[in-house]
Amino acid sequence: KLEQNAASEGARRHLERHEEALISCDQAVELRTVSPGDNRSAAVFVDPAALREALKTRAAALQLDNDHDEAVRDWSRALESARESGAAPEEQQDLQRSLMQAQQNKRVWDERRDHMATLELPANLQQLAPEKQCSWIKKQHRKLARKWHPDKYRGNSDRGARKMREVQEAKDVLYERFRC
């Protein structure tokens, strides 16, 4: 129980730094989930409220990380858990609203990705000379590609691969837009 609380608190404490929060959240959810065939004893009691809290925290961190697919999955699991355990109607409504917001964020992200934000480019990039624009894009792509490359990234390999795809897509779109 102490490990569960520590993992949850670590996730909340680091929510602004979603990188660390995602690791803490993954640990918190793992500690609260017992699946069939799990090596842990079947007598381990999993508190549905604690699992929901861990899922909610991880979903919020995933949304900050623009991983909307996983965020929607976590909000859905939290809502399902609330319904199965007979949670208060207010909590179920809050979870339903959060799920709908996550789905809306996913649609917006899919339709209108902010490629300049993905590459962490300055807001005044369009005011610079064309050569400077292209050099900024190239520099930021190189920096982020080193950070997220699946062979270099030390965290969750799926996250690293997803981020790398986003960085590559952003570079391609911006190269075309700025005619680099």
Side-chain angles (χ1 to χ4, degrees):
K1 183 78 175 165
L2 226 59
E3 287 178 357
Q4 292 176 353
N5 290 338
S8 242
E9 287 305 312
R12 279 192 208 93
R13 195 171 347 111
H14 296 294
L15 193 55
E16 287 79 35
R17 297 186 330 232
H18 53 269
E19 190 126 359
E20 293 89 359
L22 286 171
I23 294 167
S24 296
C25 288
D26 288 341
Q27 292 169 348
V29 170
E30 177 65 29
L31 287 170
R32 288 168 172 79
T33 305
V34 177
S35 58
D38 200 340
N39 291 339
R40 291 181 280 177
S41 168
V44 173
F45 175 72
V46 178
D47 181 19
L51 176 60
R52 272 195 310 278
E53 190 60 35
L55 287 168
K56 287 168 30 179
T57 305
R58 184 169 70 178
L62 287 166
Q63 283 182 278
L64 289 174
D65 194 44
N66 290 325
D67 191 354
H68 300 289
D69 292 327
E70 290 297 320
V72 167
R73 271 190 218 109
D74 278 357
W75 285 118
S76 296
R77 281 184 60 197
L79 180 58
E80 181 182 322
S81 170
R83 289 178 177 155
E84 288 175 358
S85 66
E90 297 82 26
E91 183 180 1
Q92 291 184 33
Q93 289 173 348
D94 287 344
L95 288 169
Q96 183 66 41
R97 274 193 292 277
S98 297
L99 174 60
M100 290 171 54
Q101 182 64 45
Q103 290 169 334
Q104 175 64 26
N105 291 346
K106 180 184 178 317
R107 279 191 295 278
V108 168
W109 177 253
D110 288 343
E111 292 169 6
R112 298 177 292 208
R113 290 186 188 202
D114 186 355
H115 297 295
M116 289 182 60
T118 300
L119 286 181
E120 301 171 5
L121 294 168
N124 68 343
L125 181 72
Q126 294 171 334
Q127 297 170 356
L128 299 176
E131 318 80 56
K132 294 277 189 190
Q133 293 172 345
C134 294
S135 69
W136 262 100
I137 294 169
K138 185 176 180 179
K139 179 177 106 177
Q140 288 301 105
H141 174 263
R142 198 175 304 139
K143 172 185 151 191
L144 294 171
R146 277 193 303 268
K147 177 179 180 180
W148 296 114
H149 193 280
D151 293 339
K152 301 283 184 189
Y153 184 62
R154 294 182 182 196
N156 182 322
S157 61
D158 292 339
R159 179 172 185 252
R162 179 182 57 81
K163 289 293 218 176
M164 186 66 196
R165 281 191 307 274
E166 289 175 8
V167 166
Q168 185 62 43
E169 176 187 339
K171 182 198 86 153
D172 293 342
V173 168
L174 292 174
Y175 260 37
E176 186 175 318
R177 183 185 305 164
F178 291 111
R179 295 182 179 91
C180 295

